[in-house]
Amino acid sequence: NLHVEGLAPSHLAYVIYTSGSTGVPKGVAMPHRGLVNLLAWQREQLPEPARTLQFAALGFDVAFQEIFSTLASGGTLVLLREGLRQDLPALAEWLAEESVERLFLPCIALQNLCELWSQRGALLPMLRDVITAGEQLRITPAIRLMFGKHPQARLHNHYGPTETHVVSTHTLSGLPEKWKDLPPIGKPVGNSRIHVLDAQRNPVPVGVAGELYLGGAQVARGYLSQPELSADRFVPDPFSRGGARMYRSGDLGRWRADGSIEYLGRNDHQVKLRGYRVEPGEIEAQLARLDGVREAAVIAREDQPGEKRL
């Protein structure tokens, strides 16, 4: 164990700027506690050393996960040129040449690479783990085909905003053709908590939608030099002791009977239509299940005054 004089878990590890859903940049101040906790948890989940692609840009928090989880477990960090990051067809071939065993990919990059691999029929016999995050994971035919051809590879769905980094995970199991189109975001990682609360911040029953409040070791300090915004989003955690805080994510979800959480979209995308509160994300998910539909967007429009439609 490395001991640095005067360094505590509460000291700053990094500041990463994000606009989130507001469009206004804000610096998320993450202490060492959250980063070390995440790396320790991941080392327990994936203890074997692996040849891991360093794909994320250094201004993205996933880069910390890629780099330090690999080096801390004795693995090999496979670096790539910037041109390859922008050239997915060349990257798909290069990954096979480099015998990459572990990939951290945004959902859109995973989808695009799976489409390339399915078209070319190329195999990645060394691939063991694919970790995806950044947005809601949708299982497409290309993803099913890819993992059907690579039964040795596992797909892990990570969830967490920049304000907590990763806070929950779900590993898909069974035959890919039977995977749900929209997999759950799973259960909290070690030393983390997720609360599904109503508008009065009371816990909701299993199966009832509520806002996700994220607590535990993964919660950031707050927003750099923005105390009012920090106080609004990082609120006291009534379910813990010692002045702990939880992050009000603005994400909607519900508990499943198996103890995992199903993601339902954003509460700031909710619209009211003829007295009903509607989640466009849920309708988009259903549209995306139709044959021939790759992506869908649902918005509320009022082309004629008083006639709001989706």
Side-chain angles (χ1 to χ4, degrees), residues 22-102:
T22 67
V24 180
K26 47 190 181 292
V28 177
M30 181 64 73
H32 284 271
R33 178 188 298 108
L35 183 58
V36 171
N37 181 73
L38 177 60
L39 296 177
W41 169 83
Q42 185 164 313
R43 191 172 180 181
E44 290 180 357
Q45 301 300 308
L46 303 174
E48 63 277 5
R51 289 180 59 80
T52 304
L53 178 67
Q54 204 279 297
F55 180 80
L58 294 179
F60 188 33
D61 53 11
V62 175
F64 291 89
Q65 199 177 357
E66 289 173 332
I67 295 169
F68 294 114
S69 68
T70 302
L71 300 182
S73 62
T76 300
L77 197 63
V78 182
L79 306 179
L80 79 166
R81 302 186 307 276
E82 182 62 29
L84 274 177
R85 188 183 281 109
Q86 305 297 330
D87 187 351
L88 285 182
L91 176 61
E93 295 181 1
W94 184 80
L95 291 174
E97 295 171 3
E98 291 292 327
S99 299
V100 170
E101 298 169 303
R102 186 173 298 162

Side-chain angles (χ1 to χ4, degrees), residues 181-197:
D181 292 344
L182 296 174
I185 58 174
K187 301 178 181 180
V189 305
N191 299 312
S192 294
R193 295 181 300 276
I194 299 180
H195 308 290
V196 185
L197 308 180

Side-chain angles (χ1 to χ4, degrees), residues 201 221-223 226-236 245-246 248:
R201 296 184 185 171
R221 279 189 191 175
Y223 299 117
Q226 297 193 59
E228 292 184 1
L229 182 59
S230 296
D232 179 62
R233 306 301 297 190
F234 295 85
V235 298
R245 296 167 307 124
M246 55 185 183
R248 182 165 62 91

